[in-house]
Amino acid sequence: KTLCYQLPGLVRGGTPLGVSPLIALMQDQLEDLKSKGIDAFSLGGISTQREMERILDNAQRRQPCFLFASPEKLNSERVQVRLTGLNIRTVAVDEAHCISEWGHDFRPDYRQLAAVRKLIPKAAWGCFTATATDKVIHDIRENLELNCPSVFRSSTHRKNLIYAVCEVRDSEAMLYQAVRNSAGCGLVYVGTRYQAEK
């Protein structure tokens, strides 16, 4: 998914804009790009006007560079004023299902991205998600006022992934055994940060 907007952003130049719901996701993108020698900035977690202006100034001066922001930051009047001067040619909305699934109540600023789109009408927009039903795709298309967008989908069933559900008495012993018998990578989902650290 990352390559789908990093590469077009680099090819198109200017300041590719990445829209992300979480500071941690923005930070991961920032570190990945910087490790490749690509300038990148993030408005995620910025709380002062002065710091925000400094980041936007840097993004304007150091092109090509990537800029990451949450929908809430993009809904700020000051940020919107500055967007028009950033030479944004590519916009990537990560976790785009949030426009539909969270946009109505939990993250209403996702529903305001159409206003941002009008500020930078020449930018190519891409919406990326791993969880989009037909209804969500329709909602994204309607909300962002996308005319005849290309939609690329693939099956969630992948040959390189194995899913298993097991009922056991001693989950830690079962996890230990699974790790010892595994030849590759794996994900373990738990309910709390304490359980993850443990």
Side-chain angles (χ1 to χ4, degrees):
K1 197 166 60 169
T2 301
L3 184 61
C4 290
Y5 54 84
Q6 281 185 0
L7 188 58
L10 288 170
V11 170
R12 287 192 187 105
T15 304
L17 174 64
V19 182
S20 181
L22 299 171
I23 293 171
L25 291 175
M26 288 184 251
Q27 196 61 38
D28 283 348
Q29 292 294 324
L30 206 65
E31 290 170 10
D32 181 50
L33 287 163
K34 286 183 175 183
S35 75
K36 296 172 182 165
I38 301 166
D39 284 332
F41 303 95
S42 173
L43 295 174
I46 302 302
S47 57
T48 68
Q49 188 77 15
R50 185 176 178 181
E51 181 69 5
M52 185 179 71
E53 290 292 342
R54 185 186 67 77
I55 288 170
L56 291 169
D57 287 343
N58 285 336
Q60 191 165 5
R61 281 193 301 266
R62 297 176 72 173
Q63 294 187 17
C65 72
F66 281 76
L67 177 66
F68 295 92
S70 68
E72 289 79 9
K73 283 284 194 276
L74 293 176
N75 203 20
S76 151
E77 187 177 327
R78 184 65 200 135
V79 171
Q80 289 186 359
V81 166
R82 296 290 307 269
L83 286 180
T84 56
L86 289 177
N87 190 22
I88 296 171
R89 300 178 192 170
T90 307
V91 178
V93 182
D94 197 11
E95 306 299 341
H97 60 275
C98 297
I99 292 170
S100 177
E101 295 174 0
W102 290 357
H104 300 289
D105 47 19
F106 179 56
R107 300 290 290 269
D109 290 287
Y110 259 102
R111 304 287 296 175
Q112 305 306 315
L113 289 176
V116 173
R117 191 163 176 265
K118 289 174 183 165
L119 293 172
I120 44 177
K122 293 182 180 177
W125 280 63
C127 299
F128 302 90
T129 179
T131 57
T133 62
D134 289 336
K135 179 187 177 304
V136 169
I137 291 170
H138 176 76
D139 205 17
I140 291 168
R141 184 180 293 159
E142 292 288 313
N143 181 263
L144 292 179
E145 300 170 17
L146 302 173
N147 296 320
C148 302
S150 297
V151 177
F152 301 95
R153 297 174 84 172
S154 62
S155 173
T156 56
H157 300 290
R158 305 208 180 131
K159 294 176 183 176
N160 62 332
L161 298 178
I162 298 169
Y163 301 93
V165 177
C166 306
E167 287 189 38
V168 294
R169 290 189 183 147
D170 187 348
S171 59
E172 287 181 20
M174 194 276 304
L175 177 59
Y176 178 74
Q177 196 63 31
V179 169
R180 289 200 57 182
N181 294 332
S182 175
C185 299
L187 294 174
V188 178
Y189 291 94
V190 293
T192 66
R193 179 178 288 173
Y194 169 75
Q195 288 173 309
E197 289 169 354
K198 185 177 175 188

